[in-house]
């Protein structure tokens, strides 16, 4: 008896208490040894990985320590001196470019919105051909899935650099890049959602003579739509963050302005823009999360 | 000897315990009865010092335990071993690791952090598990055991603490009748063999009569009965559990309420609330 | 005429009654139209602002075709060792950044969780602090760190660590707050210290969750780290942006293939580690 876990089995029937304790003692030692082996192996492997990574990335603790105060200086340089008795004038001076920045921020939001909706819509269509259970041929499932995975793995900034070559500077390259990346991410996600739906409504539509398109619109869509909408909002939150940085390479939005401010050492401008971005992102997160939970509650009731 | 003198505890504006005084000589099996919310659980937690009383004094063998801090407090908690209704084991750890937690006062903080225990400590834990018929399960995860088995592991942990008194807070409330009997028999064995006092909160009057030497009853935080178990006749039980109109909190629990005191309003109330939660 | 063709058998008043029964009321119909039109208008406006509705798109399409054609022919294999080294740097950055972020997040999470930190006002502050860290994208922090401590992977590691510390602190503290308080109480009641409560009562409960979110962040960071080089924060992003800016699409394509392969590998490794670590028992 006494089948102990982690593969250590002892096949002695203990008769007396002393024997039972002896069996326990042996098993306990075996456990301690096997634990020790596993733990030390794990620690050595982990330490080796850390050491290797530190070597490859030239991680230098001294440089980090000497650099930290400079980060502090940098961050404090982002907020200009604001005096209490002249606060309004100071703020106006700090936000001298407010009109321009607000306009760029608005463009950024619109890029994120368009990317989220266009990417999600296309992703939803592609996901039909990447799901195993919706009648798409096997080669299409494989091929579309790989394409979606590539679109999801390649960062939107890389797409943006390619599109810049074709369409020149400006938001077009950025919004296409964001849409393409969104398409990949949503398509892969939705393919998984599709594979988990209840197949009975679809069979019902087919059984009364509906076409494949009828199956999708009547059988599938009502099941997955709340989910899709919820994910669209979530994607919008992510895209707002992406759209703020896509301008780093010149593909539209506030990023271009932010990049210039930081690289040309206009720290107070950078601080002003970052604060605007921070507030916008916070507000959008809160609003979008509220809408998302509202939609999923709707789903729970119906 | 455990001595409580005018112990009170309030949570916000509600008085959970009011002027509770009694002594427990060594070796006695005391059952504590009363409605849910009457303060039974708070009473045991106060003795273990998981809850700090607002007034009064608790002493053991002549020295007060209320002002203990740090290691002294930990030592007192170990000697007043708690057993909980929900077992309160670390469910992903092995049975053995859970029992070894009871040796907190004999091991250094460092050793407990890395989980290193000596062979002797492990053997002592094993002997206790053997006494309770749980030795074969020593290397299984606590969560893989049945409720009755988990409670026996919790008792082994309590014994590992070398307790002077055992505080059992409704130890059988979530067990099936057979496991409940095993657990109660175990507590009585410990009480008889080692002369360790047991203070046990119970919901079942029959069990109280079967195992207790003495009964203490609480009603709305007040001590209403302290007598030998033979005094717990039906009229005494009614005195403890009835009089709902005096205690509005009574609507909460109905297991021992006479039917006429279970107001229909409160029961539909809980029902709709449950439905809302499910929805 | 089929026996199932009902409408011919009904008189006019009966048809009207049926129509009235299935017609939606005008308010919900109007509301639906308003939503639809409003949404379409917003989308057209968004497309206009994003320059999607401009002739640029038609002028650019042939050029995009050229770029894609070139990308179908990966080239620059003589640079392979250089690219590989840069890719290793990216992977190392993601690993160290996640590790550093996880360590910081562990301490931060204890101050963000109700279970482990009772002072509500301070907890609120710590939570907002963690939120603030993950509001900005990695790339913004990377740019800031490059300006502050110079070019190289260190800036990238710090950027990843900072965003991760915020994200993981949130995830960890949620795991802690969702844990069962009873085992901790059990340890405390048997004479264990506060630290024992965390180590024996809490840690075994939350560890699987913590490991799982950390591995997930590691995978996600490997993707993010590939572009940090664009602002000079180390890794393959630098070469990739460099080649794309001079329209070397063949070489860029080779790097993209390498990145995809590396991301797959890390995903597989992470999945294996997840099964190994979380499948395992006790202590």
């Amino acid at each position: 008896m006494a089948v102990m876990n982690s593969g250590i089995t002892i096949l002695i029937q203990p008769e007396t208490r002393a024997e039972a304790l002896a069996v326990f003692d042996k098993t306990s030692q075996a456990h301690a040894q096997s634990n020790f082996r596993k733990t030390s192996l794990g620690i050595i492997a982990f330490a080796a990985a850390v050491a290797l990574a530190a070597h490859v990335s030239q991680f230098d603790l001294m440089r980090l320590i000497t650099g930290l105060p400079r980060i502090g200086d940098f961050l404090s340089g982002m907020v200009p001196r604001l005096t209490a008795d002249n606060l309004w004038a100071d703020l106006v001076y700090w936000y001298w470019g407010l009109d321009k920045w607000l306009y760029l921020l608005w463009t950024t939001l619109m890029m994120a919105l368009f990317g989220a909706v266009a990417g999600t819509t296309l992703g939803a269509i592609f996901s039909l051909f990447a799901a195993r259970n919706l009648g798409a041929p096997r080669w299409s499932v494989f091929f579309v899935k790989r394409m979606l995975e590539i679109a999801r793995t390649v960062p939107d900034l890389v797409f943006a650099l390619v599109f810049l070559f074709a369409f020149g500077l400006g938001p077009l390259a950025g919004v296409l890049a964001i849409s393409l990346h969104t398409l990949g991410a949503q398509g892969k996600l939705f393919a998984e959602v599709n594979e988990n739906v209840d197949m009975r409504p679809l069979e019902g539509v087919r059984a009364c003579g509906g076409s494949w398109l009828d199956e999708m619109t009547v059988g599938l869509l009502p099941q997955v739509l709340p989910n899709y909408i919820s994910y669209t909002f979530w994607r919008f939150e992510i895209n707002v963050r992406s759209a703020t940085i896509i301008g780093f390479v010149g593909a539209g939005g506030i990023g271009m302005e932010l990049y210039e401010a930081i690289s040309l050492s206009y720290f107070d401008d950078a601080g002003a823009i970052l604060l605007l971005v921070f507030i916008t992102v916070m507000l959008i997160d809160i609003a979008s999360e509220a809408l998302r939970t509202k939609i999923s509650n709707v789903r729970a009731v119906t | 000897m455990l001595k409580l003198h005018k112990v009170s505890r309030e949570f916000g504006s509600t008085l959970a315990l009011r002027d509770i005084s009694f002594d427990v000589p060594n070796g006695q099996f005391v059952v504590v009865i009363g409605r849910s919310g009457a303060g039974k659980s708070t009473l045991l937690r106060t003795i273990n010092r998981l809850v700090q009383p607002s007034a009064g004094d608790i002493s053991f063998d002549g020295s007060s335990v209320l002002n203990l801090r740090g290691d002294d407090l930990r030592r007192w908690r170990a000697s007043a071993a708690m057993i909980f209704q929900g077992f309160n084991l670390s469910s992903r750890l092995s049975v053995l690791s859970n029992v070894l937690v009871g040796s907190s006062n004999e091991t250094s903080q460092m050793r407990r952090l890395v989980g290193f225990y000596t062979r002797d400590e492990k053997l002592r834990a094993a002997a206790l598990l053997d006494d309770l018929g749980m030795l074969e399960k020593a290397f299984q995860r606590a969560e893989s055991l049945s409720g009755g088995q988990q409670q026996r592991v919790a008792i082994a942990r309590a014994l590992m603490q070398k307790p002077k008194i055992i505080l059992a807070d409704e130890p059988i409330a979530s067990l099936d009748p057979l496991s409940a009997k095993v657990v109660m028999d175990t507590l009585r064995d410990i009480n008889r063999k080692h002369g360790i006092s047991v203070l046990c909160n119970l919901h079942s009057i029959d069990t109280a009569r079967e195992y207790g030497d003495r009964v203490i009853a609480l009603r709305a935080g007040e001590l209403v009965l302290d007598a030998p178990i033979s005094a717990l006749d039906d009229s005494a039980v009614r005195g403890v559990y009835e009089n709902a109109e005096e205690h509005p909190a009574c609507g909460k629990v109905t297991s021992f309420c006479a039917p006429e005191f279970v107001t229909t309003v409160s029961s539909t109330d809980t029902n709709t609330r449950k439905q809302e939660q499910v929805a | 005429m089929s026996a199932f063709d009902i409408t011919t058998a009904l008189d006019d008043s009966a048809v009207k009654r049926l129509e009235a029964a299935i017609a939606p009321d005008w308010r919900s119909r109007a509301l639906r139209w308003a939503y639809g039109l409003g949404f379409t208008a917003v989308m057209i406006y968004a497309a206009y602002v994003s320059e999607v509705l401009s002739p640029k798109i038609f002028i650019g399409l042939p050029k995009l075709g050229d770029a894609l054609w070139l990308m179908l022919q990966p080239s620059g294999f003589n640079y392979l060792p250089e690219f590989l080294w840069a890719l290793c740097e990216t992977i190392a950055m993601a690993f160290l950044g996640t590790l550093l972020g996880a360590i910081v997040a562990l301490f931060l999470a204890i101050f963000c969780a109700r279970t482990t930190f009772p002072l509500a006002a301070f907890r609120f502050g710590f939570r907002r602090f963690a939120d603030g860290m993950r509001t900005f994208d990695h790339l913004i922090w990377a740019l800031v760190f490059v300006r502050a401590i110079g070019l190289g992977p260190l800036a990238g590691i710090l950027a990843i660590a900072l965003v991760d510390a915020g994200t993981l602190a949130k995830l960890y503290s949620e795991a802690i707050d969702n844990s069962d308080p009873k085992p901790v109480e059990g340890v405390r009641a048997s004479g264990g210290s506060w630290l024992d409560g965390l180590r024996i009562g809490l840690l075994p409960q939350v560890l699987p969750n913590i490991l799982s979110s950390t591995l997930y962040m590691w995978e996600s960071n490997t993707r993010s780290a590939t572009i940090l080089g664009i602002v000079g924060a180390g890794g393959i992003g630098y070469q990739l942006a460099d080649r794309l800016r001079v329209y070397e699409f063949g070489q860029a394509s080779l790097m993209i293939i390498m990145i995809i392969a590396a991301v797959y590998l890390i995903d597989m490794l992470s999945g294996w580690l997840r099964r190994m670590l979380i499948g395992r028992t006790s202590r």
Side-chain angles (χ1 to χ4, degrees), chain A residues 7-237:
Chain A
I8 300 161
T9 312
I10 286 164
L11 296 163
I12 309 164
Q13 179 78 49
E15 305 248 316
T16 64
R17 182 187 175 94
E19 260 177 57
L21 285 181
V23 169
F24 166 85
D25 196 23
K26 228 182 233 164
T27 320
S28 146
Q29 276 168 16
H31 268 277
Q33 263 171 26
S34 114
N35 268 346
F36 178 76
R37 247 198 320 270
K38 273 185 204 158
T39 311
S40 39
L41 209 68
I43 289 174
I44 289 169
F46 186 69
V50 172
L52 186 68
H55 172 73
V56 170
S57 63
Q58 305 130 49
F59 189 78
D60 186 351
L61 206 59
M62 278 321 290
R63 215 179 120 207
L64 178 60
I65 291 165
T66 51
L68 279 179
R70 258 181 294 159
I71 296 171
D73 292 349
F74 187 91
L75 291 178
S76 65
M78 285 188 168
V79 182
R81 227 159 56 84
L82 299 172
T83 48
D85 45 313
N86 211 2
L87 187 63
W88 182 248
D90 285 344
L91 278 176
V92 169
Y93 179 72
W94 188 22
Y95 277 94
W96 63 273
L98 188 63
D99 289 351
K100 179 174 60 169
W101 294 336
L102 281 180
Y103 176 73
L104 284 172
L105 206 55
W106 182 246
T107 315
T108 310
L109 290 184
M110 287 301 118
M111 287 166 69
L113 180 67
F114 186 84
V117 174
T120 304
T121 312
L122 291 175
I125 294 169
F126 275 98
S127 76
L128 300 178
F129 303 98
R132 273 193 302 267
N133 56 339
L134 299 180
R138 197 176 291 178
W139 60 266
S140 135
V141 171
F142 179 82
F143 186 70
V144 176
K145 233 179 206 170
R146 291 296 92 75
M147 284 293 118
L148 292 173
E149 274 171 8
I150 290 173
R152 169 176 173 264
T153 305
V154 176
D156 34 20
L157 220 58
V158 175
F159 286 137
L161 283 166
V162 178
F163 289 140
L164 279 175
F165 163 75
F167 303 110
L169 289 174
L172 180 59
V175 81
L176 290 180
I178 292 174
S179 305
L180 188 56
H181 185 74
T182 304
L183 192 162
Q186 300 289 67
K188 179 146 191 300
L189 197 63
F190 290 174
E192 279 158 23
V193 173
N194 292 345
E195 282 174 3
N196 290 322
V197 295
D198 183 1
M199 288 303 285
R200 283 172 302 184
L202 281 83
E203 277 165 14
V205 174
R206 198 182 320 150
C208 58
S211 67
W212 180 81
L213 203 60
D214 293 332
E215 274 185 56
M216 294 305 123
T217 50
V218 182
L220 180 80
L221 201 62
Q223 284 192 60
V224 293
L225 195 62
N227 236 324
Y228 282 10
I229 294 176
S230 218
Y231 279 129
T232 311
F233 278 109
W234 180 60
R235 197 67 219 178
F236 176 58
E237 292 168 44

Side-chain angles (χ1 to χ4, degrees), chain A residues 5 35 38 46 49-50 53-54 56-60 63-64 67 70-71 74-75 78 106-107 110-111 113-114 117 146 149-150 152-155 157-158 161-163 165-167 169-172 175 241 245 248-249 258-259 262-263 265 267 274 277-278 281-282, chain C residues 39 42-43 45-47 49-52 56-57 60-61 63-64 67 71 85 88-89 92 95-96 99 131-132 134-137 139-140 143-145 147-151 153-154 157-158 223 226-227 230-231 240-241 244-245 247 249 256 260 263-264 280-281 283:
Chain A
N5 64 1
N35 268 346
K38 273 185 204 158
F46 186 69
V50 172
V56 170
S57 63
Q58 305 130 49
F59 189 78
D60 186 351
R63 215 179 120 207
L64 178 60
R70 258 181 294 159
I71 296 171
F74 187 91
L75 291 178
M78 285 188 168
W106 182 246
T107 315
M110 287 301 118
M111 287 166 69
L113 180 67
F114 186 84
V117 174
R146 291 296 92 75
E149 274 171 8
I150 290 173
R152 169 176 173 264
T153 305
V154 176
L157 220 58
V158 175
L161 283 166
V162 178
F163 289 140
F165 163 75
F167 303 110
L169 289 174
L172 180 59
V175 81
R241 287 168 167 80
I245 54 151
F248 278 23
V249 293
L258 183 60
Y259 185 75
I262 299 180
S263 11
S265 303
F267 293 140
L274 282 176
V277 171
F278 182 80
V281 170
M282 279 288 196
Chain C
F39 179 72
V42 170
M43 285 311 295
Y45 174 73
V49 172
S50 317
E51 293 182 349
V52 179
K56 267 169 94 174
I57 203 158
L61 275 178
K63 286 177 86 181
L64 184 63
M71 289 184 83
W85 179 254
C88 288
E89 203 173 86
F95 179 73
L96 283 185
L99 182 64
D131 284 344
R134 62 195 175 84
T135 305
F136 298 121
D137 192 272
L139 212 64
I140 293 180
L143 189 60
V144 169
F145 286 132
R147 292 291 302 158
I149 56 174
L151 292 166
L154 187 62
I157 293 172
L158 290 181
R223 290 165 217 268
T226 53
I227 51 162
I230 290 178
V231 296
L240 186 56
L244 279 172
R245 280 183 181 126
Y247 312 133
F249 290 108
I256 290 172
I260 291 170
V263 168
Y264 267 89
R280 235 186 70 190
T281 347
R283 300 221 300 203

Side-chain angles (χ1 to χ4, degrees), chain B residues 56-105:
Chain B
D57 188 41
I58 299 171
S59 62
F60 192 83
D61 286 348
S63 52
S64 170
V65 300
L66 279 193
N67 300 315
L68 299 178
R69 284 189 191 291
D71 285 348
D72 292 330
L73 173 61
R74 299 206 298 108
R75 222 164 286 136
W76 163 244
R77 280 185 173 153
S79 41
M82 282 285 283
I83 290 165
F84 298 87
Q85 176 184 346
F87 325 127
N88 292 21
L89 300 173
S90 200
S91 55
R92 291 180 59 88
L93 293 187
S94 69
V95 165
L96 182 65
S97 305
N98 269 295
V99 178
L100 285 166
V101 170
S103 65
S104 295
N105 281 304

Side-chain angles (χ1 to χ4, degrees), chain C residues 176-196:
Chain C
I176 293 174
D177 275 340
N178 287 333
S179 68
D180 181 4
K182 280 193 207 144
V184 182
E185 191 187 33
V187 173
R188 300 286 278 146
S190 69
S193 62
W194 180 78
L195 212 55
D196 293 332

Side-chain angles (χ1 to χ4, degrees), chain B residues 225-241:
Chain B
L225 178 70
D226 180 357
I229 198 73
S230 54
L232 189 65
D233 54 17
D234 289 351
S235 72
V237 170
R238 260 199 304 280
V240 173
Y241 285 101

